Amino acid sequence: MMGLSSLVFTEFHSLGFSDLIVFVAPLWIAVTAGVLVGWVWRPKWAYLDSKLLSDSPKFLNLQLPTSILKTSSHHVNPSLSSKEKTGFVTDDDFRHLWKLVEVKDGGPCWIQMMDRSTPTFSYQAWRRDPENGPPQYRSRTVFEDATPEMVRDFFWDDEFRSKWDDMLLYSSTLERCEDTGTMVVQWVRKFPFFCSDREYIIGRRIWDAGRVFYCITKGVQYPSVPRQNKPRRVDLYYSSWCIRAVESKRGDGEMTSCEVLLFHHEDMGIPWEIAKLGVRQGMWGAVKKIEPGLRAYQRAKAAGAGLSPSAIMAHINTKVSAEEFMNERGSIAEVTGDKPTGKNIPKILVVGGAIALACTLDKGLLTKAVIFGVARRFARMGKRM
């Protein structure tokens, strides 16, 4: 959702032509061969009169262009209760993000990819490759002279985003809850020439732990908006971040800077190795576009510009004390007979030891994969004990 995650899309525009040829040429050769073979061995029904196909409403529906989607309207459904709307993004999602921020999620080690900065902006990025699923990215961005509230509004403001995020073709609010701030939004994002555009149905919600904002956005199921061939819908999508005030790098002891910790992964339907190449090639160029957008947003607000409807929703947060919340969840688990001590302590010890061993003995991914694989097996055995 936030601008930092835009680099996953914009990085492909910075790939060199020779890089694209290396990856795309084999794909086109395979597609061409498949089409030729399929045409030679086409079944009898393929000879049907084209008029019959063109008269079919189903056939016509498959050809709806993206422009039709842009002109369609989806109104907020007031019939949904607060409980139903809150179900799109729940306390479990907040708990998962908190663990990611505190490095307590039990995942593999993060591999640093970048560490760059300007006088008013710094950026660090890491990647890890889970055993199953697309690559996962973690980044830390620090904006000088920015408040957490301003940065929160900036990334939530879909109406202003179009002024700085040229990858966003369309956005619409499908649902919103005035009690919890939960929203369901539809996005269509522009992709490079060799891919169709992508559609996202995203649930989002913010938790406020004393001016530390946990902003969660993820793909959700929403049958009311039917799928289309184009743009292609992305189901696996996670882009969440923690926003908080930090000390300025000027060293004056003032908490006038804002830190953003982003955790992002998705399955865009692109080979993961190509996606990783694009990230490596275009990450810094994409990230540098975010700060000018934030500064323009600050100037607009200083000039008296009002809040957009989506930015207003960013002010409706679930108040929480992160420590008390986690303690409460632990107490609930104990009362309900989950026995967290018997199940979790062996897993924590085994996985924690594996992480330490993998990071200490060897930097190779293969060695780490073997260690983590063995650790997971022992952890599962611990659960059954």
Side-chain angles (χ1 to χ4, degrees):
M1 286 291 295
M2 65 178 291
L4 293 177
S5 64
S6 299
L7 65 90
V8 179
F9 310 97
T10 56
E11 68 248 351
F12 294 102
H13 289 278
S14 60
L15 286 173
F17 183 75
S18 60
D19 295 324
L20 290 176
I21 289 297
V22 170
F23 286 97
V24 175
L27 297 177
W28 279 110
I29 293 173
V31 170
T32 303
V35 170
L36 291 176
V37 173
W39 182 252
V40 172
W41 294 94
R42 63 190 184 278
K44 293 182 179 181
W45 55 262
Y47 293 94
L48 288 175
D49 188 351
S50 60
K51 184 177 185 301
L52 294 177
L53 293 176
S54 62
D55 289 340
S56 170
K58 184 177 181 181
F59 174 78
L60 289 175
N61 288 339
L62 295 176
Q63 303 300 319
L64 287 175
T66 305
S67 59
I68 298 298
L69 176 64
K70 292 181 181 179
T71 58
S72 64
S73 61
H74 301 283
H75 300 287
V76 174
N77 184 356
S79 63
L80 288 180
S81 67
S82 297
K83 182 177 180 181
E84 290 173 315
K85 293 178 183 179
T86 303
F88 288 113
V89 186
T90 67
D91 288 342
D92 288 336
D93 296 306
F94 164 72
R95 187 168 183 254
H96 176 63
L97 176 57
W98 183 86
K99 287 183 176 181
L100 288 172
V101 172
E102 301 298 327
V103 198
K104 295 182 178 180
D105 64 308
C109 290
W110 294 97
I111 303 170
Q112 187 164 20
M113 302 172 58
M114 179 170 293
D115 188 351
R116 301 285 294 273
S117 64
T118 69
T120 58
F121 168 77
S122 63
Y123 180 78
Q124 296 171 295
W126 298 262
R127 190 197 78 238
R128 67 183 182 185
D129 298 305
E131 189 173 298
N132 298 306
Q136 298 177 0
Y137 296 93
R138 173 180 182 263
S139 67
R140 178 181 184 267
T141 310
V142 177
F143 299 102
E144 292 290 319
D145 301 314
T147 65
E149 291 80 5
M150 181 67 70
V151 175
R152 174 201 62 189
D153 294 354
F154 169 68
F155 285 123
W156 223 246
D157 195 331
D158 289 346
E159 289 80 3
F160 189 84
R161 178 179 288 271
S162 60
K163 298 181 180 180
W164 63 272
D165 184 358
D166 57 3
M167 304 298 292
L168 183 64
L169 297 177
Y170 171 82
S171 66
S172 175
T173 299
L174 305 177
E175 300 287 349
R176 63 170 176 252
C177 176
E178 302 289 348
D179 297 327
T180 65
T182 301
M183 301 178 68
V184 178
V185 300
Q186 180 188 27
W187 277 15
V188 176
R189 298 196 66 93
K190 180 172 64 177
F191 265 58
F193 67 92
F194 56 86
C195 298
S196 62
D197 296 334
R198 295 297 192 266
E199 176 196 32
Y200 299 80
I201 306 296
I202 300 169
R204 62 190 194 185
R205 182 180 172 189
I206 300 175
W207 276 259
D208 178 3
R211 297 190 71 224
V212 177
F213 299 106
Y214 293 85
C215 309
I216 295 171
T217 74
K218 67 174 188 176
V220 297
Q221 296 298 315
Y222 199 80
S224 299
V225 179
R227 294 175 180 271
Q228 302 182 78
N229 282 355
K230 294 183 180 180
R232 177 175 176 176
R233 183 169 298 179
V234 175
D235 291 310
L236 178 56
Y237 175 82
Y238 182 86
S239 189
S240 301
W241 56 97
C242 174
I243 302 175
R244 56 193 175 191
V246 294
E247 184 178 347
S248 171
K249 67 179 181 180
R250 289 189 290 264
D252 54 9
E254 298 294 328
M255 304 288 283
T256 55
S257 297
C258 181
E259 176 191 67
V260 181
L261 297 175
L262 167 71
F263 300 88
H264 181 97
H265 67 268
E266 64 178 285
D267 189 351
M268 299 177 286
I270 295 174
W272 295 339
E273 291 303 319
I274 295 180
K276 287 194 290 187
L277 171 65
V279 171
R280 288 195 300 268
Q281 295 290 331
M283 176 176 285
W284 179 240
V287 169
K288 285 193 300 184
K289 298 179 181 179
I290 301 172
E291 191 194 12
L294 174 61
R295 303 309 178 188
Y297 194 72
Q298 288 177 313
R299 290 192 297 269
K301 298 310 171 188
L307 293 174
S308 68
S310 55
I312 291 175
M313 294 299 294
H315 288 235
I316 306 175
N317 307 151
T318 302
K319 305 292 184 180
V320 64
S321 168
E323 291 76 12
E324 292 180 4
F325 179 84
M326 300 307 293
N327 292 337
E328 180 184 351
R329 289 300 298 264
S331 300
I332 293 175
E334 187 174 355
V335 170
T336 55
D338 289 341
K339 298 180 181 179
T341 301
K343 291 184 177 180
N344 293 337
I345 290 181
K347 183 175 181 180
I348 291 173
L349 291 176
V350 172
V351 176
I355 293 174
L357 182 62
C359 295
T360 303
L361 292 180
D362 189 84
K363 294 183 179 179
L365 291 177
L366 180 59
T367 303
K368 292 178 183 178
V370 173
I371 293 175
F372 288 129
V374 174
R376 273 191 293 271
R377 289 180 178 273
F378 279 103
R380 292 193 191 103
M381 293 172 59
K383 285 185 175 181
R384 292 192 293 268
M385 293 176 62

